[in-house]
Amino acid sequence: MIDTQLRIVLAEDSVILREGMVELLTARGCAVVATAGTAPELVTAVTEHRPDVAVVDIRMPPTHTDEGIRAAVEIRATMPEVGILVFSQHVETAWAARLLADGAAGIGYLLKERVARTSELVDALHRVATGGTALDPEIVNGLMRGGRRSLVESLTAREREVLELMAQGHSNRSIAGLLVVSERAVEKHVAAVFTKFDLPATEADNRRVKAVLAYLAETGA
């Protein structure tokens, strides 16, 4: 169990769901420093509290379309040190691509059904807070199905599996455990992905993030 207490701002317009999430997160050792029912309230709360992570519902008042994602993009642009974990009732790949357009580090996107799985939610929050990526498998699948397939088609079935798990935020060790292969085998698959995606090693670049973004580019978003 992770001992570090996370400071969270939670945006959800449903009072019942919001209060339930606060109870769940508090019980798991997180500190919900503020809650918000609208996108402007969210931006104000994040600006005031500078949390580790902002948890954001995509559809918020008044139109319940993209207010949440627009607020998340604004927070991302003005306070990049704040992790963003958005959640939605449905797989909405265009909005996922929009949020991830400027980089996948410190970004998460989960379906609301995952919220009930408290351990998955808290794990995703910690991952995002430390600059990692936490993408719901259904979101990744949706991104992989969309748009042009040129880069995707260059991958073997195993390389696709590895990249999908990378996109969900798993480390090489975690991927090895999930696929029941050696960590060295995973490293070889990851290296093959980098080569096929034309991602040479540099001192500064995070090729894992770029590989995920390459998938997003395949959506045409």
Side-chain angles (χ1 to χ4, degrees), residues 149-216:
R149 303 286 295 201
S150 58
L151 291 179
V152 176
E153 289 177 349
S154 73
L155 302 178
T156 67
R158 180 62 89 183
E159 288 163 0
R160 292 188 195 185
E161 283 184 293
V162 168
L163 184 51
E164 179 179 345
L165 291 170
M166 285 169 56
Q168 293 172 30
H170 291 282
S171 65
N172 285 0
R173 178 175 297 180
S174 176
I175 293 171
L178 290 169
L179 298 182
V180 195
V181 298
S182 70
E183 192 169 348
R184 178 60 179 160
V186 173
E187 291 172 358
K188 290 181 178 179
H189 291 310
V190 171
V193 170
F194 291 157
T195 298
K196 292 178 179 180
F197 279 30
D198 191 24
L199 296 172
T202 69
E203 291 185 1
D205 291 336
N206 185 332
R207 290 191 293 171
R208 295 180 79 88
V209 171
K210 288 188 174 183
V212 172
L213 295 178
Y215 257 124
L216 300 183

Side-chain angles (χ1 to χ4, degrees), residues 20-96:
M21 289 182 66
V22 170
E23 289 185 12
L24 286 173
L25 292 172
T26 301
R28 292 299 296 265
C30 299
V32 180
V33 296
T35 61
T38 67
E41 289 176 358
L42 166 64
V43 175
T44 298
V46 171
T47 301
E48 177 181 353
H49 294 281
R50 300 290 173 133
D52 298 307
V53 184
V55 180
V56 186
D57 185 3
I58 282 184
R59 298 175 182 265
M60 300 191 74
T63 68
H64 292 278
T65 55
D66 67 345
E67 282 87 353
I69 200 71
R70 286 192 284 110
V73 170
E74 179 182 344
I75 292 168
R76 180 77 164 165
T78 58
M79 293 168 278
E81 73 280 5
V82 176
I84 301 290
L85 179 64
V86 301
F87 59 100
S88 175
Q89 191 71 39
H90 307 288
V91 176
E92 302 178 88
T93 54
W95 288 341

Side-chain angles (χ1 to χ4, degrees), residues 103-144:
I107 291 292
Y109 190 133
L110 299 180
L111 294 180
K112 280 191 175 181
E113 63 189 56
R114 308 283 175 187
V115 172
R117 304 173 190 176
T118 312
S119 60
E120 289 187 27
L121 173 61
V122 173
D123 178 69
L125 287 167
H126 279 281
R127 194 181 301 164
V128 168
T130 54
T133 305
L135 299 183
D136 194 287
E138 291 300 316
I139 298 295
V140 175
N141 288 339
L143 291 169
M144 289 170 62

